[in-house]
Amino acid sequence: MDSLRIATRKSPLALWQSEHVAARLRAAHPGLEVVLVPMSTRGDEQLDRSLAAIGGKGLFLKELELAMQRGEADCAVHSLKDVPMQLEPGFELPAVLERADPADAFVSNAFDGIAALPHGAVVGTSSLRRQAQLRARRPDLQLRDLRGNVNTRLAKLDAGEYDAIVLACAGLERLGLDARIRDRLAPPDWLPAPAQAVVAVETRVGDARTRERMAVLEHVPTRVRIEAERALNLALHGSCHVPVAAYAELDGERLRLRAWVGSASDGSGVSAQGEGDATQSQALGRAVAADLLAQGAGRFLD
């Protein structure tokens, strides 16, 4: 029987995303056996330190890429916001799926939103971008790191370690936990991470057979949008070390990109936006990045 092996992290969300891709592929290619190859990554194992401190989001990819190089898997499925702006040589992203809800989720058992939190409330998030946007609105809050999979983070909230936590809406919705969302932190007032809520498939360059199979998953409007967001991030040398927020919207042939860069320590920041032809998405990303840098964004990126 013809088969395809998908390397995936073992977290419930990663497994959901990989099974979603597998189901789409089975439906599109009758007779194709699609199997998951669950793996543990350093990013999943080292939960006692921030991602920035242990080397960045690329830690979620390395083991999956090695599995492809060793011939143990044909592709890997990722949350695109965790994928470095530049892939390791020999790999490519032949398919990005349609974007889900890009907003962040305010989750609390006692409070309806950021404004409702009492003075000095404890909020959990490991994202410097989220910390910076929280600081910009509520400098009085105590922000504490929060690592682990979605269920682990919710359990820490339920145990009383935090008054509220901030997660991605898409992750909660994919796991059937959308009832936990108390407030959506959404554009244009609150911007997500570049490519947030987008699932992508990574393959080896030159693996034409796997690439061909992935074509049914590609969502062109999403590709256009995330290319602008990721080009902006690349031009800013963005990673999980720096708080970069970006969101692109497609209206016919026109593409608009909003972006913000700020400080996780005091909430100060600079914002920029631009509009251009959808066929020039990467150029738009670089132009908005240049605007941010001209306003002094470099001081937040060093």
Side-chain angles (χ1 to χ4, degrees):
M1 190 178 193
D2 210 5
S3 67
L4 180 91
R5 298 157 302 167
I6 299 176
T8 176
R9 292 161 60 197
K10 291 180 178 178
S11 76
L13 182 56
L15 290 169
W16 183 96
Q17 292 174 168
S18 296
E19 188 51 55
H20 175 69
V21 167
R24 292 271 307 270
L25 291 170
R26 292 182 192 116
H29 306 293
L32 178 66
E33 181 189 31
V34 185
V35 295
L36 304 191
V37 183
M39 308 185 72
S40 185
T41 72
R42 275 190 64 208
D44 295 307
E45 293 162 0
Q46 298 190 10
L47 299 176
D48 56 337
R49 297 158 70 199
S50 71
L51 277 177
I54 61 174
K57 291 181 176 179
L59 293 176
F60 291 131
L61 276 73
K62 193 65 184 171
E63 281 83 355
L64 308 187
E65 290 176 339
L66 288 171
M68 287 189 278
Q69 285 178 332
R70 291 192 298 259
E72 297 166 4
D74 303 297
C75 64
V77 172
H78 307 297
S79 290
L80 188 53
K81 73 178 177 64
D82 294 336
V83 177
M85 299 309 113
Q86 291 181 303
L87 295 176
E88 289 293 317
F91 294 97
E92 62 181 353
L93 301 173
V96 295
L97 281 67
E98 184 173 2
R99 189 176 217 159
D101 185 348
D104 276 336
F106 176 89
V107 181
S108 175
N109 294 323
F111 305 102
D112 288 333
I114 295 172
L117 288 168
H119 186 88
V122 177
V123 180
T125 171
S126 56
S127 159
L128 293 178
R129 171 191 60 83
R130 290 171 180 152
Q131 289 177 9
Q133 292 188 92
L134 285 165
R135 283 256 182 267
R137 286 157 180 75
R138 290 287 305 273
D140 62 289
L141 297 175
Q142 296 182 62
L143 305 183
R144 294 189 186 157
D145 264 346
L146 177 65
R147 294 279 316 281
N149 65 43
V150 171
N151 289 310
T152 298
R153 298 183 197 200
L154 290 172
K156 289 181 177 181
L157 170 71
D158 294 342
E161 295 180 34
Y162 305 90
D163 295 300
I165 61 177
V166 181
L167 305 170
C169 283
L172 291 166
E173 288 162 355
R174 286 165 176 157
L175 293 173
L177 296 168
D178 34 324
R180 299 298 304 259
I181 300 171
R182 293 291 287 266
D183 191 26
R184 287 178 70 255
L185 308 175
D189 303 319
W190 178 286
L191 298 182
Q196 182 159 308
V198 177
V199 172
V201 181
E202 182 183 21
T203 61
R204 295 183 299 268
V205 171
D207 185 351
R209 192 179 190 191
T210 302
R211 182 185 179 90
E212 200 172 287
R213 286 169 169 163
M214 299 303 159
V216 296
L217 302 173
E218 174 74 357
H219 189 256
V220 175
T222 296
R223 171 81 68 171
V224 170
R225 294 166 65 191
I226 61 97
E227 281 190 343
E229 295 170 13
R230 284 173 63 81
L232 171 130
N233 208 8
L234 180 60
L236 296 173
H237 307 293
S239 66
C240 59
H241 297 265
V242 294
V244 175
Y247 186 62
E249 294 171 285
L250 191 59
D251 183 8
E253 299 301 310
R254 301 296 291 173
L255 184 67
R256 172 189 283 178
L257 177 63
R258 294 185 176 91
W260 184 84
V261 179
S263 164
S265 59
D266 66 11
S268 61
V270 293
S271 62
Q273 63 178 300
E275 195 173 311
D277 192 287
T279 61
Q280 303 295 315
S281 56
Q282 293 185 28
L284 176 60
R286 290 190 291 268
V288 174
D291 188 351
L292 289 168
L293 291 169
Q295 294 183 59
R299 68 184 183 274
F300 305 116
L301 303 171
D302 293 333

